[in-house]
Amino acid sequence: MLPKFIYLFDLVGTAAFAASGAVAGVRKKMDLYGITFLGVVTAVGGGTLRDIVVGRIPPFIFRDYNYLIISILISLMTFYFHRLIERRFKFLLIMDALGLGIFTVIGTSIGMEYNIGMIGSVFLGVMTGTFGGMIRDVLQQEVPLVLQREIYASACIVGGFFYILAHKMGLSETFSVTLAVIVVFSIRLISIFKNWNLPKPKV
Amino acid sequence: MLPKFIYLFDLVGTAAFAASGAVAGVRKKMDLYGITFLGVVTAVGGGTLRDIVVGRIPPFIFRDYNYLIISILISLMTFYFHRLIERRFKFLLIMDALGLGIFTVIGTSIGMEYNIGMIGSVFLGVMTGTFGGMIRDVLQQEVPLVLQREIYASACIVGGFFYILAHKMGLSETFSVTLAVIVVFSIRLISIFKNWNLPKPKV
Amino acid sequence: MLPKFIYLFDLVGTAAFAASGAVAGVRKKMDLYGITFLGVVTAVGGGTLRDIVVGRIPPFIFRDYNYLIISILISLMTFYFHRLIERRFKFLLIMDALGLGIFTVIGTSIGMEYNIGMIGSVFLGVMTGTFGGMIRDVLQQEVPLVLQREIYASACIVGGFFYILAHKMGLSETFSVTLAVIVVFSIRLISIFKNWNLPKPKV
């Protein structure tokens, strides 16, 4: 069981992901439905696929409507006030990094709960954190950003292992979760700040 | 339980969706397999994903082969006689709008049956009606049409709510279904005729 | 139950598919994570979707880590030694054709085990053999190769039917599997050698 305070941060992360999806839709000149859909799928797509993969049916979006409602509202807001939102670029990045940490921990913890092993659980964390953004990029006809540059999925991988290790060492759930979220959040933000990237192949 | 007459219309809608997928494959100069696959996935992709999401396993395409067989036959016909079919453009649009209405109602009704709530059920209707076409567009390397212009998914949303309301008001299933299909069908066709579009963001 | 020797070939096929995905990632100048992800998804994507469709939850990748581990290792090797691997182009084609045969038979046999009928089982074989490559192509922003040219999915279709027929005729499992793998493998390799293609629509 994840501690309750996670829930609030999870909704904040959902909102940040929805904004990133809706902003992408605005840039591609989609219409009101397209922008809303892109916001929603970016925010809840990763978690929905995760639930399908482990058999958590129906997926979380149908068990707690707050995720869908927040995604829709934020997407509609982005539709009307996208300039205001795009100007808060740094704030969005910080919220997105927070969401990435939360999504990773939730996914990893669900993997442990469903006994799919350590590698599988970390993979489920990566899925929760990154698959929504991948769908967003595919739908707007771009090679997914997460496959090309910046430190994004790799932050999830490190954070996922931290969570599992802390968990296995018998540390409290609150401590394990907080630690792992901070790890993902810090790696992501420091890598943006320092302009870190993963290596590219030598051609 | 949906009334029996729905089944016939469902197959007609499946055929229309398959034709739209296969025509797209012809335009992209795919080969015989590609065109057939695009036809099939456009016709049954939305319903298959819907079934996976609510845990109706195996999905409908494996429980009643008529859907797969019709999709394959129509795709093969389109491969050989695509000029004839493309010339019947208006007829196809009408059949497609009918299919959209039927798919929406079936998806929404399955959502109600699986108790995923009102918003979830409407979303399931939208999924059934639009996800096949989205996969078609992604596979042919285009930003999905449904995200960009015309009144398509929004017709499903309105129709889905009409169905649920009629259902909750205790109206007969036949009446609720017929009403909702007519709503989707009319909104879709009128919007094409009047050249209606959803708003786009101000840049 | 599939004979044990299949398992070894299955891992070899997994490695070949992973290499093809990772090479695609190298060509698109993805980063280390992108290349690894593309390798993994090409290798295990088809089988994972197959398992989700028939309700084999959790999917095979979480029940036997060898698939994930081999995919990751081969992708990493491809990242560092892609020139060496690309130079072994013919060897890769042969291993890929072997993998295609194995994947097809495994998918078809799972379809039979889950009683989804003959057409459904063949479709499941095609899915196992081709969907990973389709995801690879969508992620690298190309129209899936399998939809455009060469004899690929059609080899799976023929092989799938051979497997089912041999199975229904009461031939031993080892014989049925070997026959079907040889059919897919031979059709695929001969078609490359002879430069066979499926028909394209007349425009």
Side-chain angles (χ1 to χ4, degrees):
Chain A
M1 282 294 297
L2 291 173
K4 299 259 174 204
F5 73 89
I6 273 284
Y7 184 62
L8 182 72
F9 287 112
D10 192 18
L11 295 180
V12 172
T14 301
F17 273 51
S20 103
V23 163
V26 168
R27 286 192 187 143
K28 286 281 163 177
K29 299 192 173 108
M30 292 183 178
D31 66 14
L32 183 58
Y33 175 76
I35 289 164
T36 311
F37 185 81
L38 221 61
V40 169
V41 90
T42 307
V44 304
T48 303
L49 289 179
R50 171 204 65 212
D51 284 357
I52 289 172
V53 161
V54 292
R56 277 178 104 218
I57 297 292
F60 78 107
I61 46 166
F62 298 127
R63 279 181 277 125
D64 178 351
Y65 273 165
N66 287 339
Y67 294 97
L68 271 185
I69 291 169
I70 284 182
S71 310
I72 293 172
L73 288 183
I74 292 286
S75 301
L76 293 177
M77 275 180 52
T78 307
F79 179 85
Y80 291 106
F81 310 113
H82 58 95
R83 280 187 209 170
L84 248 81
I85 285 172
E86 289 186 90
R87 235 177 284 145
R88 268 142 198 83
F89 185 64
K90 275 188 196 167
F91 176 72
L92 263 187
L93 269 184
I94 294 170
M95 291 300 105
D96 190 272
L98 178 65
L100 191 68
I102 300 284
F103 285 22
T104 300
V105 169
I106 292 178
T108 309
S109 121
I110 288 174
M112 307 271 287
E113 197 184 316
Y114 280 76
N115 290 312
I116 59 167
M118 194 155 112
I119 300 181
S121 299
V122 171
F123 185 72
L124 225 59
V126 174
M127 209 172 165
T128 312
T130 67
F131 275 37
M134 286 182 62
I135 303 176
R136 172 200 64 207
D137 293 344
V138 165
L139 289 177
Q140 61 164 334
Q141 283 291 301
E142 294 191 358
V143 174
L145 190 67
V146 65
L147 304 178
Q148 296 190 88
R149 55 180 166 275
E150 298 185 5
I151 305 291
Y152 203 88
S154 10
C156 302
I157 294 174
V158 177
F161 278 113
F162 263 84
Y163 172 74
I164 293 178
L165 286 182
H167 194 89
K168 292 218 188 249
M169 283 167 67
L171 300 176
S172 83
E173 195 59 21
T174 302
F175 182 82
S176 309
V177 166
T178 311
L179 173 73
V181 172
I182 290 176
V183 166
V184 178
F185 181 78
S186 313
I187 294 180
R188 173 70 185 138
L189 283 190
I190 293 173
S191 75
I192 294 175
F193 184 68
K194 297 269 191 188
N195 203 17
W196 284 348
N197 283 288
L198 287 181
K200 292 245 180 184
K202 282 181 198 114
V203 198
Chain B
M1 281 295 296
L2 291 173
K4 298 260 173 201
F5 74 88
I6 273 284
Y7 183 61
L8 182 72
F9 287 111
D10 192 18
L11 294 180
V12 171
T14 301
F17 273 51
S20 103
V23 163
V26 169
R27 287 192 186 143
K28 287 282 162 176
K29 300 192 172 109
M30 293 183 178
D31 66 14
L32 183 58
Y33 175 76
I35 288 164
T36 310
F37 185 82
L38 221 61
V40 169
V41 89
T42 307
V44 305
T48 303
L49 289 179
R50 170 205 65 211
D51 284 359
I52 289 171
V53 161
V54 293
R56 278 177 106 219
I57 296 292
F60 77 107
I61 47 165
F62 297 127
R63 279 182 275 126
D64 177 352
Y65 273 165
N66 288 338
Y67 294 98
L68 271 184
I69 290 169
I70 284 182
S71 309
I72 293 172
L73 288 182
I74 293 285
S75 301
L76 293 177
M77 276 179 52
T78 308
F79 179 85
Y80 291 107
F81 310 113
H82 59 95
R83 280 188 208 169
L84 249 81
I85 284 171
E86 288 185 271
R87 237 177 281 144
R88 268 141 198 83
F89 185 63
K90 274 188 195 167
F91 176 72
L92 263 186
L93 269 183
I94 294 170
M95 290 301 103
D96 191 271
L98 178 64
L100 191 68
I102 300 284
F103 285 21
T104 301
V105 169
I106 292 177
T108 309
S109 120
I110 289 173
M112 306 270 287
E113 196 184 314
Y114 280 77
N115 291 313
I116 59 166
M118 194 154 112
I119 300 182
S121 300
V122 170
F123 185 72
L124 225 58
V126 173
M127 210 172 164
T128 312
T130 67
F131 275 37
M134 286 181 62
I135 302 176
R136 174 199 63 207
D137 293 344
V138 165
L139 288 178
Q140 61 165 333
Q141 284 290 303
E142 293 191 359
V143 174
L145 190 68
V146 64
L147 304 178
Q148 295 189 89
R149 54 177 168 278
E150 298 185 8
I151 304 293
Y152 203 88
S154 9
C156 302
I157 294 173
V158 176
F161 277 113
F162 262 84
Y163 172 75
I164 293 178
L165 286 181
H167 194 90
K168 293 218 185 247
M169 283 166 67
L171 301 177
S172 84
E173 196 58 21
T174 303
F175 182 83
S176 309
V177 166
T178 311
L179 173 73
V181 172
I182 291 176
V183 165
V184 178
F185 182 78
S186 313
I187 295 180
R188 174 71 185 136
L189 283 190
I190 295 173
S191 74
I192 294 175
F193 184 68
K194 298 267 190 190
N195 204 16
W196 285 348
N197 283 288
L198 287 180
K200 292 245 181 183
K202 282 181 199 114
V203 198
Chain C
M1 280 295 297
L2 291 174
K4 299 260 173 201
F5 74 89
I6 273 283
Y7 183 62
L8 182 72
F9 288 111
D10 193 20
L11 294 181
V12 171
T14 300
F17 273 51
S20 104
V23 163
V26 168
R27 286 192 187 143
K28 287 281 161 176
K29 300 189 173 110
M30 293 182 177
D31 66 14
L32 183 58
Y33 175 76
I35 288 165
T36 310
F37 185 81
L38 221 61
V40 170
V41 90
T42 307
V44 305
T48 303
L49 289 179
R50 171 205 66 213
D51 284 358
I52 290 172
V53 161
V54 294
R56 276 178 107 218
I57 296 292
F60 77 107
I61 46 166
F62 297 127
R63 278 181 277 125
D64 177 351
Y65 273 163
N66 287 338
Y67 295 98
L68 272 185
I69 291 169
I70 285 183
S71 310
I72 293 172
L73 288 182
I74 293 286
S75 302
L76 292 177
M77 275 180 52
T78 308
F79 179 85
Y80 290 106
F81 311 112
H82 59 96
R83 281 187 207 171
L84 249 80
I85 284 173
E86 290 185 89
R87 236 177 282 146
R88 269 141 198 83
F89 186 62
K90 275 188 195 166
F91 176 73
L92 261 188
L93 270 183
I94 293 169
M95 291 300 103
D96 190 272
L98 179 65
L100 192 67
I102 299 284
F103 285 21
T104 300
V105 169
I106 292 178
T108 309
S109 122
I110 288 175
M112 307 269 288
E113 196 185 314
Y114 280 76
N115 291 312
I116 59 167
M118 194 155 111
I119 300 182
S121 299
V122 171
F123 185 72
L124 224 58
V126 174
M127 209 171 164
T128 313
T130 67
F131 275 37
M134 287 181 62
I135 303 176
R136 172 200 64 208
D137 293 344
V138 165
L139 289 178
Q140 61 166 332
Q141 283 290 302
E142 294 192 358
V143 174
L145 191 66
V146 65
L147 304 178
Q148 295 190 90
R149 56 179 166 274
E150 299 185 6
I151 305 291
Y152 204 87
S154 9
C156 302
I157 294 174
V158 176
F161 278 113
F162 262 83
Y163 172 74
I164 294 179
L165 286 181
H167 194 89
K168 293 219 186 247
M169 283 166 66
L171 301 176
S172 83
E173 195 59 20
T174 303
F175 182 83
S176 309
V177 166
T178 311
L179 174 74
V181 171
I182 290 176
V183 166
V184 177
F185 181 76
S186 314
I187 294 180
R188 174 72 185 135
L189 283 191
I190 294 173
S191 75
I192 294 175
F193 184 68
K194 299 269 191 188
N195 204 15
W196 285 346
N197 282 288
L198 287 181
K200 292 245 180 182
K202 282 179 197 116
V203 197

